[in-house]
Amino acid sequence: MSNNTDLSLSSYDEGQGSKFIQKAKETLFPPPIGMAGFAAIFVYGLHTLKSRGNMKMSIHLIHMRVAAQGFVVGAMTLGMGYSMYQEFWTKPKPWKSCCACFS
């Protein structure tokens, strides 16, 4: 059994809050917007809980859960599409600038 002492433990030194802030700065779109949308739908669901009419509580909760999950998945999809756009379409193509035969 080998014991590797070269491993860095810097990832264990960071707290969860600092990891979240760093990740939010790196990828601005999906996490904060998805979490804010989830919280907004949650608050809206609590607000409309009393005025749901004759709808059962379980059905109301299922609708709110589906709405919140849909918002988060939508935010993740838009964020992924935006990052793919940045990576594949906004970067200059290396083969266009290196050879004169393609221009």
Side-chain angles (χ1 to χ4, degrees), residues 69-88:
Q69 286 177 335
F71 189 88
V72 171
V73 168
M76 289 173 59
T77 303
L78 288 175
M80 182 62 84
Y82 180 69
S83 67
M84 286 176 61
Y85 171 76
Q86 281 184 330
E87 185 174 339
F88 294 114

Side-chain angles (χ1 to χ4, degrees), residues 21-60:
I21 292 171
Q22 180 183 2
K23 192 67 171 175
K25 287 179 182 177
E26 289 174 3
T27 58
L28 183 64
F29 189 67
I33 301 224
M35 292 174 79
F38 179 83
I41 291 172
F42 179 74
V43 169
Y44 174 76
L46 287 178
H47 178 69
T48 60
L49 191 62
K50 290 185 179 181
S51 64
R52 68 182 186 274
N54 59 356
M55 184 186 300
K56 289 184 178 180
M57 170 82 83
S58 62
I59 301 298
H60 178 72

